[in-house]
Amino acid sequence: MYTIVIAEDEHWLRSELVEMVSRIGGEFAVVGEAVDGEDAWHMLNELWPSILLTDIRMPRMDGLQLIKEIDETGMPIVPIIISGYDEFTYAQQAVRYGVSEYLMKPVLQEELQDALKRSLTRMTMLSELNDCLKRINTFLDAVPTLDSRSRQSELDDLLRHIWNTPTAHTRSRGSIFSIFERKWIELIQGMDPSFQAAGTGGGWNERAETAETFRKLLESWSFVSVSQSGQETRQAMVRACDYIDRHYMQPLTLGQMAQRANLSPSYFGQLFKQYAGVSFIAYLNNVRIDKAKTLLLEEDIKIYEAAEMVGFVSLPHFNRMFKSLTGKTPNDYRKGMGLK
């Protein structure tokens, strides 16, 4: 399955793109919808999709800046640009940042399908690198729950996996290590803003040097983590969950929630997952679907109305999420509850 994050600030167009991908089906599925470039950036770092489908003009961070970040950090994600601005300069910049597909609005389903199919070879080449990043996320999520010996053992196993990934040549392996280093530094700085890592200067050619860099990061994380107030961070997460429970119908993002808690997005995301047991996005989807189940028991509320009332702007996305979390479509759920 090739997963897709769609970044588009216009709700109706984002919904239309989700529906197109749903109709195309097959090996493609939307796993995230971002309302702007900054929201998309946080989503990419949490979900690690195979594909980013992004508009160019968006608030806070536009599509070109977003794909520039992907290119400069070496993320194994295939970007596809959508734009209503038919200007050669945009196409030039997009190609410079590794974009091979550039679609003009209004996007036709056939054009999107062709662009996705043309990207398959590239996505297959990046799949093992994408898996490395998901393993990094899993490790960073688990670090707080492990004892000191297990942390080092798990870290060694992860580094060994990255070194031995068949498709990871020197440049791409270096990108993976750089992303790992950046994410860990962001987590430490979320606890201690004054923290500065020595870094490797971008050199990841020696196994011993790489292992020592991450050993020092683990050591720094451990010292900073011990100094944090568990009660204070727990209260911040309690407030975050309470806010989501009361404002789930709004377009909430990880970045917005982190800002409310006065924490960095990376650190907030890790704390939230430790407290709630699931990621921010998963928690929000669970709350929305639970609220939707209650609404679907009202005979005068249509399915698309229930979807909109709990914060889903795309009916196909709502239907897919509902079935993923309940095992039933919204219509089958209604029938099972004795409603027509």
Side-chain angles (χ1 to χ4, degrees):
M1 180 65 69
Y2 296 104
T3 53
I4 303 173
V5 163
I6 296 178
E8 169 60 62
D9 60 315
E10 295 183 68
H11 288 192
W12 68 270
L13 181 53
R14 192 166 71 248
S15 178
E16 191 173 280
L17 290 170
V18 173
E19 290 185 23
M20 283 185 190
V21 174
S22 179
R23 288 194 295 268
I24 292 170
E27 58 259 278
F28 302 108
V30 175
V31 293
E33 299 178 44
V35 299
D36 57 43
E38 191 172 307
D39 183 29
W41 177 249
H42 298 318
M43 206 169 280
L44 295 181
N45 278 276
E46 181 175 354
L47 300 175
W48 295 117
S50 309
I51 306 165
L52 168 68
L53 189 59
T54 181
D55 192 6
I56 283 186
R57 293 290 182 94
M58 294 184 295
R60 297 206 292 173
M61 182 192 293
D62 65 25
L64 286 177
Q65 181 61 36
L66 185 57
I67 61 173
K68 180 183 178 183
E69 294 285 347
I70 291 173
D71 179 60
E72 290 182 349
T73 57
M75 284 184 168
I77 296 171
V78 178
I80 297 176
I81 283 285
I82 295 176
S83 176
Y85 302 85
D86 191 7
E87 299 179 14
F88 183 63
T89 52
Y90 283 126
Q92 277 185 311
Q93 287 179 273
V95 169
R96 192 179 307 134
Y97 300 142
V99 175
S100 57
E101 298 295 336
Y102 188 98
L103 304 176
M104 297 302 304
K105 298 178 182 178
V107 178
L108 300 178
Q109 182 172 319
E110 293 76 14
E111 293 176 336
L112 177 58
Q113 184 169 355
D114 289 343
L116 291 173
K117 287 184 175 180
R118 284 194 297 269
S119 301
L120 278 174
T121 300
R122 191 175 173 190
M123 284 185 285
T124 301
M125 291 172 60
L126 295 175
S127 62
E128 288 186 338
L129 300 178
N130 196 276
D131 176 65
C132 286
L133 294 179
K134 290 177 179 176
R135 285 174 178 257
I136 288 171
N137 267 11
T138 299
F139 169 77
L140 291 176
D141 286 340
V143 163
T145 68
L146 302 173
D147 58 42
S148 57
R149 181 175 296 180
S150 297
R151 288 172 188 163
Q152 186 62 58
S153 175
E154 292 291 329
L155 175 60
D156 291 342
D157 286 345
L158 175 56
L159 295 178
R160 192 177 304 112
H161 175 82
I162 297 172
W163 277 108
N164 295 335
T165 297
T167 56
H169 53 74
T170 303
R171 181 176 181 275
S172 59
R173 185 188 300 115
S175 296
I176 296 297
F177 283 133
S178 293
I179 291 171
F180 188 7
E181 180 188 44
R182 170 179 60 82
K183 288 176 70 67
W184 211 342
I185 290 174
E186 286 176 356
L187 287 176
I188 299 171
Q189 289 175 336
M191 296 183 283
D192 177 11
S194 66
F195 173 77
Q196 293 293 327
T200 62
W204 302 102
N205 298 323
E206 300 295 330
R207 291 200 181 206
E209 182 183 351
T210 298
E212 180 63 10
T213 295
F214 286 103
R215 186 196 65 76
K216 288 180 179 177
L217 282 174
L218 175 57
E219 184 179 86
S220 297
W221 181 91
S222 298
F223 277 106
V224 174
S225 179
V226 167
S227 68
Q228 296 302 298
S229 169
Q231 184 61 26
E232 184 178 332
T233 55
R234 177 181 172 81
Q235 286 303 314
M237 295 304 102
V238 169
R239 290 193 295 272
C241 289
D242 180 61
Y243 187 87
I244 294 170
D245 292 343
R246 290 184 288 109
H247 298 86
Y248 59 87
M249 70 295 295
Q250 297 174 6
L252 302 179
T253 68
L254 176 66
Q256 292 169 346
M257 294 299 297
Q259 191 172 26
R260 285 187 60 83
N262 198 29
L263 298 169
S264 71
S266 296
Y267 187 43
F268 173 85
Q270 186 186 58
L271 286 178
F272 190 93
K273 193 165 188 178
Q274 289 173 35
Y275 173 75
V278 294
S279 69
F280 163 76
I281 293 174
Y283 184 88
L284 178 59
N285 283 329
N286 273 305
V287 170
R288 286 174 168 171
I289 295 304
D290 281 343
K291 301 295 183 181
K293 287 164 69 176
T294 300
L295 291 172
L296 290 173
L297 297 180
E298 302 292 333
E299 293 188 1
D300 58 338
I301 295 180
K302 300 183 184 301
I303 291 176
Y304 78 87
E305 291 175 331
E308 292 175 355
M309 291 167 71
V310 299
F312 285 93
V313 296
S314 162
L315 183 58
H317 188 208
F318 169 73
N319 287 337
R320 187 176 65 255
M321 192 59 60
F322 194 97
K323 185 168 185 180
S324 173
L325 294 178
T326 69
K328 300 178 177 63
T329 66
N331 196 42
D332 287 342
Y333 177 79
R334 273 190 147 164
K335 289 179 180 178
M337 297 299 289
L339 301 174
K340 294 183 179 180

